[in-house]
Amino acid sequence: MSESQLIEYKESWRDEYLKWICGFANAQGGVLYIGKRDDGSVCGVADSKKLMEDIPNKVRDALGLIVDVDLITENGLDVIKITVEENPYPVNYKGEYHYRTGSTKQLLQGSALTNFLLRKTGKNWDSVPLENVGVEDLDKESFDIFHREAIRSGRMSKDDLKLSNQDLLEKLNLLDGTLLKRAAVLLFHRNPEKWITGSFVKIGFFETDADLRYQDEIHGSLMIQADRVIDLLYTKYLTAEISYDNITRIEHYPFPKDAVREAVFNALIHQDFSVGVPVQISVYKDKLYISNDCVFPASWTADTLMQKHRSLPHNPDIANTFFRAGFIESWGRGIEKICNLCKEYGIAEPEYTVHPNDIMMMFKANEPVNEPVNEPVNEPVKLVLAVIADNPNLSKEKIAEKIGMSRATVTRALAKLVEIGAIQRVGSDKSGHWEIVENGE
């Protein structure tokens, strides 16, 4: 039998192996064999009688644990078997917290240690209560977004939502007694960064990895971020290929909107907000990256993510509220849904890069798309220019009617054409006309 999550082999005893016992106790328990090689073959121990007395005492004195220490015989050789049960409370060895994951022992530090200690005391990071903030400080728009989306998704009815904000938070399990949990502040406060640094989304468009063209930050509650991030991506950062079916205008973006939405929402609910680094979205001509800091369950890998797995959100209270709003699926189906949406759209499944403390997802388009400009008007620019070339006397309203876009979109397109020197206005706004500049771009 090879080494595993629950089994470790050592040829002889060293006191440093108390760390391995500590790791087992902090994880799911396990068995440490003394007198076996890494491949499980028996080499035996010569001083078994003394070790049978020393090991239980050393474990008790160093870790405060009582473990079963048994002497067994294999192939005529003595082997010591140390059985460690999972401990309900955190166990440390000389102030260090060790954890068994896979067939390795990890020293817990930073946010991983914080989350481990919270979990062992029956809490998650987002369930910790905050003082000096109350229900009356929360944001009406954020509650309105939740109501709208919960009703639209069918996850909650209008009757379910005939509640005060206080009662709704209670129903969503976002209160700890009379105090708001961190999740409540993140979800419904207009400025959660007052308590939780980095709780926003940053988006940037990159020409190359080193050439950032422009960027935006989306601040506010998670309800507001969830409501606005996708719209901003698909109006300013991603360019659609335009085609027509008879008179029907068809826009085809490089990535399916529903898949990107699911990915962004997953990043928000799994984000390790204790790190203070925002969720980051990097947009290129032909690819899009979404990255967030996170704490994975022990032994998870990129392969684990791509397989069917349990739903284990890092922030379960936030995840539950997103589910009630209809933003996400339950039962760990988010990645499966994203992959299926990409297949249906005709692009490759997203690629995942998993590091110990963060994850990055990459969507890749089949072909490079046209370069976006600093405002989301490059396709309207072409259409407006074509209409002006045909009839330079049309008003903004008539141009908007011709191309099937809003007056505001036409106004932006005209401003862009003037800015780049492609057109100029001759005469007054009311009685003048547009003139195409021959040497314009």
Side-chain angles (χ1 to χ4, degrees):
M1 185 183 297
S2 60
E3 292 182 327
S4 67
Q5 173 80 22
L6 302 177
I7 296 174
E8 177 75 22
Y9 299 129
K10 298 297 180 186
E11 295 183 22
S12 60
W13 172 260
R14 297 179 185 174
D15 286 351
E16 67 182 77
Y17 296 151
L18 290 167
K19 298 177 184 178
W20 270 257
I21 296 174
C22 175
F24 278 129
N26 283 329
Q28 296 147 25
V31 180
L32 175 63
Y33 290 92
I34 309 300
K36 287 192 174 186
R37 302 181 184 91
D38 289 344
D39 60 3
S41 61
V42 179
C43 59
V45 291
D47 51 351
S48 58
K49 183 176 179 180
K50 185 174 187 303
L51 288 175
M52 287 292 292
E53 295 176 358
D54 289 349
I55 291 176
N57 292 331
K58 290 182 177 183
V59 173
R60 180 199 63 207
D61 295 342
L63 304 175
L65 300 175
I66 302 299
V67 296
D68 291 331
V69 181
D70 298 310
L71 181 63
I72 60 177
T73 302
E74 293 188 24
N75 300 333
L77 298 172
D78 287 343
V79 175
I80 292 177
K81 177 183 178 183
I82 306 170
T83 304
V84 185
E85 298 293 334
E86 178 181 355
N87 203 64
Y89 302 103
V91 177
N92 74 85
Y93 173 70
K94 296 183 178 179
E96 296 179 343
Y97 290 86
H98 299 270
Y99 192 87
R100 179 75 172 187
T101 173
S103 58
T104 67
K105 176 191 67 63
Q106 303 290 332
L107 174 62
L108 296 177
Q109 296 176 307
S111 59
L113 175 57
T114 299
N115 285 284
F116 164 75
L117 295 173
L118 284 170
R119 201 165 55 247
K120 280 292 185 179
T121 56
K123 286 187 177 293
N124 294 288
W125 183 89
D126 68 339
S127 68
V128 173
L130 291 174
E131 297 184 348
N132 302 319
V133 58
V135 177
E136 66 279 2
D137 299 315
L138 301 183
D139 177 52
K140 180 182 182 301
E141 182 185 2
S142 300
F143 281 108
D144 289 343
I145 292 170
F146 177 83
H147 282 237
R148 182 192 73 208
E149 297 302 321
I151 292 171
R152 183 162 62 184
S153 67
R155 297 277 170 80
M156 298 181 77
S157 68
K158 290 183 179 180
D159 288 338
D160 292 331
L161 293 167
K162 289 179 179 177
L163 301 168
S164 67
N165 290 344
Q166 175 92 21
D167 290 339
L168 178 60
L169 293 172
E170 187 74 51
K171 188 168 187 175
L172 293 172
N173 194 33
L174 296 175
L175 296 177
D176 187 331
T178 60
L179 296 176
L180 295 177
K181 293 182 178 180
R182 282 171 172 162
V185 173
L186 279 164
L187 287 160
F188 294 108
H189 198 281
R190 195 78 181 185
N191 183 25
E193 294 167 68
K194 182 176 179 180
W195 293 271
I196 301 153
T197 303
S199 52
F200 62 95
V201 176
K202 179 181 287 188
I203 307 176
F205 183 84
F206 291 81
E207 180 69 27
T208 66
D209 289 345
D211 183 11
L212 173 64
R213 291 280 302 279
Y214 51 91
Q215 64 179 344
D216 288 281
E217 294 180 355
I218 299 89
H219 297 266
S221 71
L222 293 186
M223 286 291 114
I224 289 174
Q225 292 178 39
D227 194 52
R228 295 180 182 172
V229 168
I230 302 303
D231 284 346
L232 183 60
L233 278 173
Y234 279 82
T235 56
K236 181 173 181 179
Y237 284 83
L238 297 175
T239 303
E241 296 179 355
I242 307 299
S243 60
Y244 289 88
D245 182 2
N246 293 324
I247 61 172
T248 303
R249 174 188 170 93
I250 299 173
E251 296 183 348
H252 185 83
Y253 286 93
F255 319 110
K257 184 180 288 189
D258 287 345
V260 174
R261 179 187 291 109
E262 187 79 18
V264 170
F265 291 173
N266 278 349
L268 289 173
I269 66 173
H270 291 284
Q271 168 77 341
D272 182 4
F273 290 100
S274 66
V275 177
V277 177
V279 171
Q280 299 180 30
I281 303 174
S282 304
V283 185
Y284 293 73
K285 291 181 183 179
D286 60 347
K287 56 190 175 183
L288 181 149
Y289 292 94
I290 301 171
S291 62
N292 64 285
D293 287 85
C294 58
V295 178
F296 284 108
S299 75
W300 275 37
T301 63
D303 290 337
T304 307
L305 285 171
M306 301 305 291
Q307 300 164 1
K308 184 173 177 58
H309 57 271
R310 290 184 298 156
S311 179
L312 293 171
H314 177 62
N315 300 302
D317 289 332
I318 293 174
N320 176 61
T321 303
F322 266 52
F323 172 74
R324 294 298 173 193
F327 286 151
I328 61 167
E329 297 284 349
S330 61
W331 302 106
R333 287 192 60 245
I335 292 176
E336 178 186 353
K337 179 180 177 181
I338 291 168
C339 292
N340 289 339
L341 288 167
C342 289
K343 288 179 185 176
E344 293 170 5
Y345 206 70
I347 66 171
E349 294 183 2
E351 298 177 13
Y352 289 83
T353 304
V354 178
H355 300 114
N357 298 311
D358 65 83
I359 182 172
M360 179 179 288
M361 170 190 281
M362 181 187 75
F363 291 93
K364 189 168 180 61
N366 287 334
E367 298 177 359
V369 297
N370 293 332
E371 176 183 347
V373 293
N374 286 353
E375 292 296 331
V377 294
N378 60 325
E379 184 60 31
V381 162
K382 298 174 185 176
L383 295 173
V384 168
L385 188 60
V387 170
I388 289 175
D390 184 57
N391 188 346
N393 297 309
L394 290 179
S395 65
K396 293 178 182 178
E397 289 77 9
K398 290 295 184 181
I399 295 173
E401 185 179 327
K402 281 269 189 184
I403 66 175
M405 294 183 178
S406 68
R407 186 180 188 279
T409 299
V410 169
T411 299
R412 290 197 299 270
L414 289 169
K416 185 64 183 179
L417 287 166
V418 171
E419 178 188 335
I420 64 177
I423 63 172
Q424 63 183 8
R425 185 71 179 174
V426 178
S428 68
D429 289 343
K430 186 174 181 179
S431 60
H433 66 275
W434 295 103
E435 184 175 284
I436 295 177
V437 180
E438 294 299 329
N439 294 327
E441 295 182 23

